C-alpha cells in the first residue's frame, strides 16, 4: 500500500469513528438505559453487527441489534416494564425483540452454534464470550461490537480496517463460513450492491468453488436476499459478482444465459451486458422526476429480465443479421416461471412478466404512425404499469448511435404527449364500454350469463378502436353485433 492509499484509509477511519460517536450519541438515551438495566442484573450488553457497521458509516437505522451474555428468559425479565412491547418469535435462536420510542430492538444471547452443513438452520448453542459470538458472524465488517456501559470498541477481526478499505471478508475462512451457511454467499453479493464493498479474493474464490451449496437454502430466503441486492445503490455490481462466481447459475440462470446471445444491433458485447445497462438506466429514471421515491423492485426486475427470451428465439438471418422474433412473449413466460420458483408475491410476478411482455410494443410506433386506437390499446394493456413501462422502454435504448438515440427518445416523447392528450379527452384510465352490463341485458332482452360478457367485450373493443360513442351509436353497435350473433333483440 502506498502513502496516498494509507492516507486515504486513515481519513476513512477517522470519518468512521466520528460517525460512530455521532450515531451513538443519537441513540444513547435508549442504549444507556438498556445497558444500565442489564448491568444492574450482572449482565453485559453490546451493540453489535450491522448496527455497529452502520453507525461507523453514519447511517444507523432505528432497528438496533444487541448481544448479551444473558439468556433469553433473563433478557425478557430485563425488558419487562421498560419496553413498550416484547415478542419472542425468535427465542428458539436466542433472540428477543422489543420496541421503545420508535426503535425496534433485537437482543440475542451470545451464540456458539454449530451447523450440520445440510440444513439452513443452525443447532443453537449459547456462548459465554463476545469473542466467541463475533467469530461466528458472516463478515468482518459485521463482527464488531461496542460494550455499552463502558463504550468499549471490540474488533477482534479488524472489521474497522476492512470497513475503511471497503473490503468484504470473513472472520473465519470463507470456506468454513459458507459451508456453515451458504446464504452468506448471496449476502456477499448483496453487500457489494448495497454498500459498495469489494469482496476479498479468497471470498470470490470460495463463492466460485461452493456456489452449488446455495441449493441448500430455501427459495424464500434466496428471494429476500436477491430483492435486497436489487434494491441496493449498485445492483449491477452484485449481479456481476453472482454471474462471475456461478451463483447466478443456481439462482437466476436466465441472466448468465443471456451471454450467449449477440444483441441484434451489434452495439453491445452481448445481451447480458445490454440488460445490465438497461438496469442502470432504469434506476437513473426512477428518481428523475420524483427523487423521493423508494427503489422500485418491479421495475428493476423487469429491466434485468426484459430480454431473457432472446437466447431461445435467436435466429441467424441471411446476410449475417440476427433476429429474436417474439422474444418478449417467451421472456414473459420465463420471467413468470422463475419468479414463481423464487416465491415472489403474485402481484410482483404478474407485474414483472407483463412489463417484459410489453417492453417491445413501442418499437412499432415508428415515426408516430400509430392510430389513436393503437395508443388506447397501449395504455389499456399497460394499465397501472404505464409509468413503469415508460421508464423501462426509455431505459431499453442503449444504442451508441447518438442520432438514433435522440430519435428514439423524441418518438417516445411524442407518444407520451399523445397519451396525455387522449387521456385528457377520454379518461383512458377507466376505459370501459359505453354501455354497462345492465343496459346490455335490457337492450338485448337476455338474462345474466356468458353472452353478456361477450357483448361487453365487443363494445370495449369498439371503444378502444373508435373512442367514446354517443349513447345511440353504442346501442346501434350492440344491435348490429347481436344480429351477427343471431340474437333478435326486442324493439
Amino acid at each position: 500500500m502506498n502513502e496516498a492509499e494509507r492516507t486515504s484509509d486513515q481519513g476513512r477511519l477517522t470519518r468512521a469513528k466520528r460517525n460512530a460517536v455521532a450515531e451513538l450519541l443519537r441513540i444513547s438515551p435508549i442504549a444507556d438505559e438498556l445497558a444500565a438495566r442489564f448491568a444492574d442484573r450482572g449482565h453485559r450488553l453490546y451493540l453489535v453487527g450491522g448496527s455497529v457497521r452502520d453507525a461507523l458509516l453514519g447511517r444507523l437505522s432505528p432497528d438496533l441489534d444487541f448481544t448479551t451474555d444473558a439468556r433469553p428468559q433473563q433478557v425478557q425479565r430485563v425488558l419487562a416494564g421498560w419496553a413498550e412491547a416484547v415478542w419472542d418469535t425468535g427465542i428458539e435462536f436466542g433472540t428477543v425483540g422489543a420496541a421503545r420510542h420508535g426503535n425496534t430492538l433485537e437482543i440475542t444471547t451470545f451464540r456458539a452454534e454449530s451447523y450440520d452443513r445440510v440444513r439452513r438452520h443452525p443447532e443453537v448453542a449459547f456462548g459465554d464470550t463476545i469473542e466467541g459470538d463475533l467469530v461466528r458472524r458472516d463478515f468482518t465488517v459485521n463482527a464488531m461490537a461496542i460494550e455499552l456501559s463502558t463504550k468499549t470498541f471490540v474488533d477482534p477481526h479488524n472489521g474497522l480496517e476492512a470497513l475503511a478499505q471497503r473490503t468484504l471478508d470473513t472472520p473465519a475462512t470463507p470456506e468454513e463460513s459458507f459451508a456453515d451457511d451458504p446464504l452468506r454467499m448471496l449476502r456477499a453479493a448483496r453487500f457489494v450492491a448495497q454498500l459498495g464493498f469489494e469482496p476479498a479474493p479468497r471470498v470470490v474464490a470460495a463463492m466460485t468453488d461452493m456456489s452449488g451449496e446455495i441449493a441448500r437454502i430455501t427459495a424464500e430466503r434466496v428471494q429476500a436476499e436477491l430483492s435486497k441486492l436489487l434494491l441496493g445503490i449498485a445492483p449491477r455490481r452484485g449481479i456481476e459478482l453472482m454471474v462471475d462466481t456461478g451463483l447466478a447459475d443456481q439462482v437466476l440462470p436466465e441472466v448468465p444465459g443471456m451471454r450467449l446471445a449477440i444483441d441484434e444491433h451489434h452495439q453491445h458485447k452481448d445481451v447480458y451486458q445490454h440488460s445490465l445497462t438497461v438496469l442502470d438506466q432504469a434506476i437513473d429514471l426512477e428518481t428523475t422526476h420524483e427523487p423521493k421515491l423508494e427503489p422500485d423492485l418491479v421495475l428493476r426486475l423487469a429491466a434485468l429480465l426484459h430480454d431473457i427470451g432472446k437466447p431461445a428465439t435467436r435466429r441467424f438471418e441471411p446476410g449475417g443479421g440476427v433476429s429474436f422474433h417474439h422474444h418478449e412473449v417467451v421472456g414473459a413466460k420465463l420471467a413468470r416461471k422463475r419468479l414463481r420458483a423464487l416465491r415472489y408475491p403474485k402481484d410482483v410476478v404478474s407485474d414483472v412478466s407483463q412489463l417484459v411482455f410489453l417492453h417491445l410494443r413501442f418499437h412499432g410506433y415508428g415515426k408516430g404512425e400509430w392510430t389513436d386506437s393503437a395508443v388506447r390499446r397501449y395504455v389499456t394493456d399497460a394499465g397501472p404499469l404505464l409509468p413503469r413501462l415508460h421508464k423501462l422502454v426509455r431505459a431499453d435504448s442503449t444504442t451508441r448511435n447518438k442520432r438514433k438515440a435522440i430519435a428514439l427518445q423524441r418518438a417516445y416523447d411524442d407518444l407520451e404527449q399523445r397519451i396525455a392528450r387522449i387521456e385528457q379527452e377520454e379518461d383512458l384510465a377507466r376505459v370501459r364500454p359505453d354501455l354497462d352490463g345492465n343496459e346490455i341485458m335490457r337492450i338485448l332482452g337476455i338474462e345474466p350469463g356468458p353472452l353478456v360478457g361477450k357483448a361487453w367485450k365487443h363494445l370495449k373493443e369498439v371503444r378502444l378502436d373508435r373512442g367514446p360513442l354517443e349513447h345511440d351509436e353504442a346501442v346501434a353497435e350492440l344491435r348490429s353485433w347481436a344480429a351477427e350473433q343471431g340474437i333478435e333483440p326486442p324493439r
Side-chain angles (χ1 to χ4, degrees):
M1 180 183 298
N2 60 37
E3 186 62 32
E5 289 173 328
R6 279 193 293 271
T7 301
S8 178
D9 283 351
Q10 188 59 45
R12 283 194 289 264
L13 282 169
T14 300
R15 286 194 298 273
K17 290 174 181 177
R18 287 175 181 166
N19 287 336
V21 170
E23 295 296 274
L24 288 173
L25 286 173
R26 184 167 61 82
I27 67 163
S28 63
I30 286 179
D32 290 347
E33 285 178 26
L34 192 56
R37 292 179 70 87
F38 275 85
D40 288 345
R41 292 161 176 79
H43 300 298
R44 290 162 290 160
L45 183 70
Y46 297 80
L47 189 70
V48 73
S51 290
V52 175
R53 179 200 69 220
D54 288 345
L56 291 164
L57 291 172
R59 42 168 280 174
L60 186 59
S61 80
D63 298 336
L64 303 173
D65 294 326
F66 300 91
T67 189
T68 179
D69 59 333
R71 292 331 191 221
Q73 289 73 24
Q74 294 171 317
V75 173
Q76 288 176 312
R77 288 194 289 271
V78 172
L79 294 172
W82 178 82
E84 295 159 1
V86 177
W87 53 92
D88 61 2
T89 51
I91 199 166
E92 65 175 310
F93 301 111
T95 299
V96 178
R100 183 171 171 87
H101 297 341
N103 292 275
T104 300
L105 320 175
E106 284 199 348
I107 304 162
T108 303
T109 301
F110 293 159
R111 276 159 50 174
E113 66 243 14
S114 61
Y115 293 76
D116 63 11
R117 300 190 175 181
V118 175
R119 295 171 298 173
R120 162 67 178 90
H121 296 300
E123 299 172 2
V124 175
F126 297 133
D128 297 308
T129 67
I130 184 63
E131 292 78 13
D133 180 88
L134 295 178
V135 75
R136 73 170 182 82
R137 293 180 179 264
D138 53 3
F139 302 106
T140 59
V141 293
N142 296 331
M144 299 178 281
I146 298 172
E147 204 285 322
L148 291 169
S149 62
T150 62
K151 301 297 188 291
T152 302
F153 185 57
V154 183
D155 183 19
H157 305 288
N158 298 316
L160 183 57
E161 182 179 347
L163 191 70
Q165 296 177 355
R166 317 294 286 185
T167 298
L168 201 63
D169 205 348
T170 53
T173 66
E175 289 80 8
E176 184 178 1
S177 181
F178 298 157
D180 281 347
D181 185 358
L183 189 65
R184 290 172 174 172
M185 294 185 288
L186 193 51
R187 293 192 77 200
R190 191 248 288 187
F191 284 129
V192 166
Q194 204 173 48
L195 301 174
F197 288 179
E198 189 70 28
R202 69 173 191 161
V203 169
V204 176
M207 290 174 66
T208 303
D209 292 341
M210 303 175 66
S211 59
E213 292 294 306
I214 198 71
R216 288 165 42 194
I217 307 302
T218 64
E220 290 81 1
R221 294 289 294 142
V222 168
Q223 179 250 101
E225 288 296 328
L226 179 61
S227 295
K228 291 175 184 176
L229 182 160
L230 286 169
L231 293 172
I233 58 172
R236 177 177 188 149
R237 293 186 59 201
I239 294 295
E240 287 174 332
L241 179 60
M242 289 177 61
V243 171
D244 292 344
T245 58
L247 200 58
D249 290 323
Q250 309 295 323
V251 175
L252 272 177
E254 295 82 3
V255 171
M258 287 190 289
R259 290 178 298 180
L260 301 176
I262 305 301
D263 185 85
E264 69 267 36
H265 302 301
H266 295 257
Q267 296 295 314
H268 307 279
K269 182 179 179 181
D270 52 30
V271 174
Y272 164 66
Q273 291 294 334
H274 162 74
S275 297
L276 293 180
T277 300
V278 173
L279 174 60
D280 285 340
Q281 294 184 167
I283 291 170
D284 289 340
L285 289 169
E286 278 181 353
T287 56
T288 299
H289 303 296
E290 300 172 275
K292 293 184 179 179
L293 285 181
E294 293 295 316
D296 188 339
L297 179 63
V298 167
L299 177 62
R300 294 182 181 202
L301 279 167
L304 179 64
L305 302 178
H306 76 284
D307 273 349
I308 59 173
K310 281 190 171 180
T313 58
R314 179 176 57 170
R315 298 291 182 271
F316 296 103
E317 304 293 348
V322 181
S323 66
F324 303 94
H325 296 307
H326 304 302
H327 75 267
E328 75 281 11
V329 178
V330 174
K333 292 178 181 178
L334 291 173
R336 187 177 296 109
K337 182 179 180 181
R338 178 55 53 198
L339 296 177
R340 282 174 176 168
L342 288 169
R343 302 291 191 270
Y344 272 98
K346 289 182 179 179
D347 59 332
V348 173
V349 175
S350 175
D351 289 351
V352 173
S353 57
Q354 181 69 351
L355 285 170
V356 172
F357 177 70
L358 292 174
H359 85 273
L360 208 59
R361 182 82 61 87
F362 161 71
H363 292 282
Y365 188 71
K367 296 181 179 179
E369 296 93 341
W370 277 7
T371 62
D372 283 357
S373 171
V375 175
R376 291 187 197 100
R377 290 180 184 279
Y378 187 77
V379 173
T380 302
D381 289 347
L385 294 173
L386 185 63
R388 284 176 169 137
L389 184 58
H390 287 333
K391 294 171 186 174
L392 177 60
V393 172
R394 288 185 181 276
D396 194 26
S397 174
T398 61
T399 177
R400 296 175 186 174
N401 184 319
K402 290 184 179 180
R403 183 177 296 178
K404 186 174 182 181
I406 291 171
L408 284 170
Q409 294 301 333
R410 285 178 176 170
Y412 207 83
D413 288 341
D414 181 67
L415 175 58
E416 286 200 53
Q417 289 166 7
R418 288 185 66 187
I419 290 171
R421 174 181 59 78
I422 297 172
E423 279 183 332
Q424 186 175 16
E425 294 172 357
E426 303 180 16
D427 192 12
L428 284 183
R430 293 188 300 235
V431 170
R432 299 178 64 81
D434 297 285
L435 303 175
D436 65 19
N438 290 326
E439 289 179 292
I440 290 170
M441 289 187 288
R442 178 180 58 79
I443 292 167
L444 297 185
I446 59 177
E447 298 296 323
L451 194 58
V452 178
K454 290 181 180 179
W456 189 94
K457 185 175 180 181
H458 170 74
L459 290 175
K460 182 176 180 180
E461 291 296 314
V462 173
R463 169 74 168 77
L464 287 170
D465 282 336
R466 293 160 52 185
L469 304 180
E470 296 293 336
H471 186 269
D472 289 346
E473 287 183 285
V475 171
E477 180 62 42
L478 177 62
R479 287 182 175 276
S480 175
W481 174 84
E484 292 174 2
Q485 308 299 312
I487 302 168
E488 185 65 37
R491 291 292 176 182

